[in-house]
Amino acid sequence: MPELPEVEITRRRLEPFLVGRIVAGVETTRDSYVFLTRPSVLRRRLPGRSILSLERTGKYLVAPLDNGERLLLHLGMTGQLFAAGTASVRLLSSTAGAALAPDRQTAGFRPDAHTHLRLRFAGGGPEVFFRDVRKLGKIQLLRPGESSPRLERLGADALRSRGPDLFDVTRGRRASVKTVLLDQSVLAGVGNIYADEALFLARIRPTRRAGRLSRAECRRMVAAVKRVLRRSIETGGASVSDPSGEEGPPLDERRVYGRAGEPCRRCDTPIRRVVVGGRSAHFCPRCQR
DNA sequence: AGACTAACCTGAAAGC
DNA sequence: TGCTTTCAGGTTAGTC
């Protein structure tokens, strides 16, 4: 489940394989839910273009091209982006249980039915693949100057800016604080897992009405979000987000997500799971008020 | 406007 | 054993 840290790690790993390279060949699957731009258009327009940079806003990756177009990518739930040479494979996304598993790094990647985009580059070298089993990810090619409602709707990136004043933003809002954290137009990049983890750090119960948070709680909340996200990037992005806990050292830093019934790491009280805004929310009933 | 729900997608896991 | 149901979640669109 890629959230901001996984997307940022993917960005960093992919950057050297994309930036400065000229697209020589494009393969896609047939048109489907992942394509906001028809695959035939991608196959026609991408070859010949060089990639200027790879940027991230929230959970989106944006690659500006030399003709002013922009390639927009979103990993959705199960999306993976990685580069692969001919002999061995380096998985470059930490999502969906694919990345960091050593046995898979050498498995040799063969594009399958879920591999929706394959980019070859001039001069050879590693190719770049976009794979997404559940097709909740997105691929879009924006024309020069074309705006994207998806991008423009986004609020401040959860890591980069000082962010909105959460206290001001939440006044009068009856929705839960958890719902507001997941609202990408308020703060871009936080998903279900890190929202729960940040709420635990801030000691705020996810069901609390956002409009009732004090100034101090809002400050704590924003600080906790940043801390959780930064920490996850430092440790490789997989330890917190992978519910199986099988990947990425340290083994498991999750405090609450996916730990319903297990003892709180602070006070031993069993972690509870409730549904908030249609999403699962995990919290310690004693530590979080 | 804000809040809630359904829909998109598919594989794993639970239920029968 | 094998079939059916449920669940997971990021995001948008539609409804109230």
PDB file of all heavy atoms in Angstrom, chain A residues 240-259:
ATOM      1  N   VAL A 240       6.802  -0.299   8.003  1.00  0.00           N
ATOM      2  CA  VAL A 240       5.556   0.178   8.575  1.00  0.00           C
ATOM      3  C   VAL A 240       4.360  -0.210   7.712  1.00  0.00           C
ATOM      4  O   VAL A 240       3.297  -0.527   8.196  1.00  0.00           O
ATOM      5  CB  VAL A 240       5.597   1.703   8.760  1.00  0.00           C
ATOM      6  CG1 VAL A 240       4.257   2.220   9.241  1.00  0.00           C
ATOM      7  CG2 VAL A 240       6.678   2.055   9.760  1.00  0.00           C
ATOM      8  N   SER A 241       4.586  -0.221   6.420  1.00  0.00           N
ATOM      9  CA  SER A 241       3.444  -0.356   5.533  1.00  0.00           C
ATOM     10  C   SER A 241       3.086  -1.800   5.225  1.00  0.00           C
ATOM     11  O   SER A 241       1.980  -2.100   4.821  1.00  0.00           O
ATOM     12  CB  SER A 241       3.725   0.361   4.221  1.00  0.00           C
ATOM     13  OG  SER A 241       4.753  -0.302   3.520  1.00  0.00           O
ATOM     14  N   ASP A 242       4.000  -2.689   5.409  1.00  0.00           N
ATOM     15  CA  ASP A 242       3.725  -4.068   5.046  1.00  0.00           C
ATOM     16  C   ASP A 242       3.119  -4.814   6.218  1.00  0.00           C
ATOM     17  O   ASP A 242       3.804  -5.108   7.196  1.00  0.00           O
ATOM     18  CB  ASP A 242       5.011  -4.754   4.602  1.00  0.00           C
ATOM     19  CG  ASP A 242       4.765  -6.216   4.299  1.00  0.00           C
ATOM     20  OD1 ASP A 242       3.598  -6.563   4.057  1.00  0.00           O
ATOM     21  OD2 ASP A 242       5.726  -6.989   4.320  1.00  0.00           O
ATOM     22  N   PRO A 243       1.837  -5.105   6.138  1.00  0.00           N
ATOM     23  CA  PRO A 243       1.149  -5.726   7.263  1.00  0.00           C
ATOM     24  C   PRO A 243       1.745  -7.074   7.637  1.00  0.00           C
ATOM     25  O   PRO A 243       1.652  -7.510   8.769  1.00  0.00           O
ATOM     26  CB  PRO A 243      -0.280  -5.898   6.746  1.00  0.00           C
ATOM     27  CG  PRO A 243      -0.411  -4.917   5.650  1.00  0.00           C
ATOM     28  CD  PRO A 243       0.944  -4.835   5.017  1.00  0.00           C
ATOM     29  N   SER A 244       2.347  -7.747   6.707  1.00  0.00           N
ATOM     30  CA  SER A 244       2.898  -9.064   7.018  1.00  0.00           C
ATOM     31  C   SER A 244       4.161  -8.924   7.857  1.00  0.00           C
ATOM     32  O   SER A 244       4.557  -9.860   8.546  1.00  0.00           O
ATOM     33  CB  SER A 244       3.225  -9.821   5.733  1.00  0.00           C
ATOM     34  OG  SER A 244       4.360  -9.255   5.111  1.00  0.00           O
ATOM     35  N   GLY A 245       4.773  -7.757   7.790  1.00  0.00           N
ATOM     36  CA  GLY A 245       5.964  -7.537   8.586  1.00  0.00           C
ATOM     37  C   GLY A 245       7.145  -8.376   8.155  1.00  0.00           C
ATOM     38  O   GLY A 245       8.140  -8.484   8.847  1.00  0.00           O
ATOM     39  N   GLU A 246       7.049  -8.965   6.984  1.00  0.00           N
ATOM     40  CA  GLU A 246       8.110  -9.877   6.559  1.00  0.00           C
ATOM     41  C   GLU A 246       9.258  -9.163   5.873  1.00  0.00           C
ATOM     42  O   GLU A 246      10.305  -9.734   5.647  1.00  0.00           O
ATOM     43  CB  GLU A 246       7.530 -10.921   5.596  1.00  0.00           C
ATOM     44  CG  GLU A 246       6.594 -11.893   6.272  1.00  0.00           C
ATOM     45  CD  GLU A 246       5.914 -12.799   5.262  1.00  0.00           C
ATOM     46  OE1 GLU A 246       6.208 -12.655   4.066  1.00  0.00           O
ATOM     47  OE2 GLU A 246       5.110 -13.629   5.685  1.00  0.00           O
ATOM     48  N   GLU A 247       9.019  -7.915   5.509  1.00  0.00           N
ATOM     49  CA  GLU A 247      10.030  -7.250   4.703  1.00  0.00           C
ATOM     50  C   GLU A 247      10.641  -6.065   5.398  1.00  0.00           C
ATOM     51  O   GLU A 247      10.008  -5.407   6.196  1.00  0.00           O
ATOM     52  CB  GLU A 247       9.401  -6.773   3.394  1.00  0.00           C
ATOM     53  CG  GLU A 247       8.845  -7.923   2.601  1.00  0.00           C
ATOM     54  CD  GLU A 247       8.128  -7.415   1.376  1.00  0.00           C
ATOM     55  OE1 GLU A 247       8.152  -6.200   1.165  1.00  0.00           O
ATOM     56  OE2 GLU A 247       7.567  -8.237   0.663  1.00  0.00           O
ATOM     57  N   GLY A 248      11.860  -5.796   5.014  1.00  0.00           N
ATOM     58  CA  GLY A 248      12.479  -4.546   5.359  1.00  0.00           C
ATOM     59  C   GLY A 248      12.797  -4.411   6.828  1.00  0.00           C
ATOM     60  O   GLY A 248      11.909  -4.368   7.650  1.00  0.00           O
ATOM     61  N   PRO A 249      14.058  -4.330   7.141  1.00  0.00           N
ATOM     62  CA  PRO A 249      14.438  -4.074   8.518  1.00  0.00           C
ATOM     63  C   PRO A 249      14.127  -2.651   8.887  1.00  0.00           C
ATOM     64  O   PRO A 249      14.170  -1.797   8.016  1.00  0.00           O
ATOM     65  CB  PRO A 249      15.947  -4.299   8.495  1.00  0.00           C
ATOM     66  CG  PRO A 249      16.340  -4.029   7.075  1.00  0.00           C
ATOM     67  CD  PRO A 249      15.161  -4.401   6.242  1.00  0.00           C
ATOM     68  N   PRO A 250      13.861  -2.348  10.137  1.00  0.00           N
ATOM     69  CA  PRO A 250      13.631  -3.319  11.200  1.00  0.00           C
ATOM     70  C   PRO A 250      12.327  -4.079  10.974  1.00  0.00           C
ATOM     71  O   PRO A 250      11.445  -3.597  10.275  1.00  0.00           O
ATOM     72  CB  PRO A 250      13.540  -2.450  12.454  1.00  0.00           C
ATOM     73  CG  PRO A 250      13.083  -1.122  11.947  1.00  0.00           C
ATOM     74  CD  PRO A 250      13.708  -0.959  10.594  1.00  0.00           C
ATOM     75  N   LEU A 251      12.243  -5.219  11.581  1.00  0.00           N
ATOM     76  CA  LEU A 251      11.157  -6.139  11.270  1.00  0.00           C
ATOM     77  C   LEU A 251       9.790  -5.493  11.309  1.00  0.00           C
ATOM     78  O   LEU A 251       8.991  -5.652  10.419  1.00  0.00           O
ATOM     79  CB  LEU A 251      11.186  -7.334  12.234  1.00  0.00           C
ATOM     80  CG  LEU A 251      12.252  -8.370  11.903  1.00  0.00           C
ATOM     81  CD1 LEU A 251      12.187  -9.533  12.886  1.00  0.00           C
ATOM     82  CD2 LEU A 251      12.097  -8.873  10.479  1.00  0.00           C
ATOM     83  N   ASP A 252       9.525  -4.766  12.355  1.00  0.00           N
ATOM     84  CA  ASP A 252       8.171  -4.219  12.449  1.00  0.00           C
ATOM     85  C   ASP A 252       8.142  -3.026  13.381  1.00  0.00           C
ATOM     86  O   ASP A 252       8.415  -3.146  14.550  1.00  0.00           O
ATOM     87  CB  ASP A 252       7.226  -5.292  12.967  1.00  0.00           C
ATOM     88  CG  ASP A 252       5.786  -4.855  12.789  1.00  0.00           C
ATOM     89  OD1 ASP A 252       5.556  -3.715  12.379  1.00  0.00           O
ATOM     90  OD2 ASP A 252       4.913  -5.650  13.083  1.00  0.00           O
ATOM     91  N   GLU A 253       7.777  -1.893  12.799  1.00  0.00           N
ATOM     92  CA  GLU A 253       7.677  -0.695  13.629  1.00  0.00           C
ATOM     93  C   GLU A 253       6.242  -0.272  13.839  1.00  0.00           C
ATOM     94  O   GLU A 253       5.978   0.773  14.408  1.00  0.00           O
ATOM     95  CB  GLU A 253       8.472   0.445  12.985  1.00  0.00           C
ATOM     96  CG  GLU A 253       9.948   0.155  12.911  1.00  0.00           C
ATOM     97  CD  GLU A 253      10.765   1.428  12.877  1.00  0.00           C
ATOM     98  OE1 GLU A 253      10.173   2.510  12.821  1.00  0.00           O
ATOM     99  OE2 GLU A 253      11.996   1.320  12.931  1.00  0.00           O
ATOM    100  N   ARG A 254       5.353  -1.069  13.360  1.00  0.00           N
ATOM    101  CA  ARG A 254       3.956  -0.683  13.518  1.00  0.00           C
ATOM    102  C   ARG A 254       3.556  -0.686  14.993  1.00  0.00           C
ATOM    103  O   ARG A 254       3.824  -1.624  15.715  1.00  0.00           O
ATOM    104  CB  ARG A 254       3.054  -1.631  12.733  1.00  0.00           C
ATOM    105  CG  ARG A 254       3.016  -1.345  11.237  1.00  0.00           C
ATOM    106  CD  ARG A 254       2.143  -2.334  10.508  1.00  0.00           C
ATOM    107  NE  ARG A 254       2.724  -3.671  10.532  1.00  0.00           N
ATOM    108  CZ  ARG A 254       2.127  -4.727  11.039  1.00  0.00           C
ATOM    109  NH1 ARG A 254       0.921  -4.614  11.546  1.00  0.00           N
ATOM    110  NH2 ARG A 254       2.715  -5.893  11.036  1.00  0.00           N
ATOM    111  N   ARG A 255       2.910   0.396  15.395  1.00  0.00           N
ATOM    112  CA  ARG A 255       2.433   0.471  16.775  1.00  0.00           C
ATOM    113  C   ARG A 255       0.997  -0.004  16.869  1.00  0.00           C
ATOM    114  O   ARG A 255       0.600  -0.624  17.847  1.00  0.00           O
ATOM    115  CB  ARG A 255       2.498   1.914  17.296  1.00  0.00           C
ATOM    116  CG  ARG A 255       3.773   2.647  17.010  1.00  0.00           C
ATOM    117  CD  ARG A 255       4.875   2.180  17.926  1.00  0.00           C
ATOM    118  NE  ARG A 255       5.773   3.252  18.347  1.00  0.00           N
ATOM    119  CZ  ARG A 255       6.663   3.844  17.564  1.00  0.00           C
ATOM    120  NH1 ARG A 255       6.746   3.516  16.303  1.00  0.00           N
ATOM    121  NH2 ARG A 255       7.460   4.778  18.036  1.00  0.00           N
ATOM    122  N   VAL A 256       0.190   0.308  15.865  1.00  0.00           N
ATOM    123  CA  VAL A 256      -1.241  -0.021  15.959  1.00  0.00           C
ATOM    124  C   VAL A 256      -1.825  -0.675  14.709  1.00  0.00           C
ATOM    125  O   VAL A 256      -2.662  -1.570  14.801  1.00  0.00           O
ATOM    126  CB  VAL A 256      -2.075   1.243  16.286  1.00  0.00           C
ATOM    127  CG1 VAL A 256      -1.867   1.666  17.734  1.00  0.00           C
ATOM    128  CG2 VAL A 256      -1.746   2.390  15.338  1.00  0.00           C
ATOM    129  N   TYR A 257      -1.366  -0.251  13.532  1.00  0.00           N
ATOM    130  CA  TYR A 257      -2.024  -0.737  12.311  1.00  0.00           C
ATOM    131  C   TYR A 257      -1.905  -2.255  12.175  1.00  0.00           C
ATOM    132  O   TYR A 257      -0.817  -2.819  12.268  1.00  0.00           O
ATOM    133  CB  TYR A 257      -1.446  -0.068  11.062  1.00  0.00           C
ATOM    134  CG  TYR A 257      -2.240  -0.432   9.834  1.00  0.00           C
ATOM    135  CD1 TYR A 257      -3.360   0.294   9.468  1.00  0.00           C
ATOM    136  CD2 TYR A 257      -1.904  -1.546   9.074  1.00  0.00           C
ATOM    137  CE1 TYR A 257      -4.123  -0.061   8.380  1.00  0.00           C
ATOM    138  CE2 TYR A 257      -2.660  -1.917   7.983  1.00  0.00           C
ATOM    139  CZ  TYR A 257      -3.773  -1.172   7.643  1.00  0.00           C
ATOM    140  OH  TYR A 257      -4.527  -1.542   6.565  1.00  0.00           O
ATOM    141  N   GLY A 258      -3.050  -2.887  11.988  1.00  0.00           N
ATOM    142  CA  GLY A 258      -3.069  -4.333  11.804  1.00  0.00           C
ATOM    143  C   GLY A 258      -2.775  -5.115  13.069  1.00  0.00           C
ATOM    144  O   GLY A 258      -2.511  -6.309  13.019  1.00  0.00           O
ATOM    145  N   ARG A 259      -2.834  -4.428  14.233  1.00  0.00           N
ATOM    146  CA  ARG A 259      -2.488  -5.102  15.485  1.00  0.00           C
ATOM    147  C   ARG A 259      -3.685  -5.239  16.417  1.00  0.00           C
ATOM    148  O   ARG A 259      -3.520  -5.376  17.636  1.00  0.00           O
ATOM    149  CB  ARG A 259      -1.362  -4.348  16.188  1.00  0.00           C
ATOM    150  CG  ARG A 259      -0.049  -4.308  15.388  1.00  0.00           C
ATOM    151  CD  ARG A 259       1.107  -3.801  16.237  1.00  0.00           C
ATOM    152  NE  ARG A 259       1.408  -4.706  17.322  1.00  0.00           N
ATOM    153  CZ  ARG A 259       1.329  -4.396  18.619  1.00  0.00           C
ATOM    154  NH1 ARG A 259       0.944  -3.200  18.982  1.00  0.00           N
ATOM    155  NH2 ARG A 259       1.617  -5.275  19.544  1.00  0.00           N
TER     156      ARG A 259
END
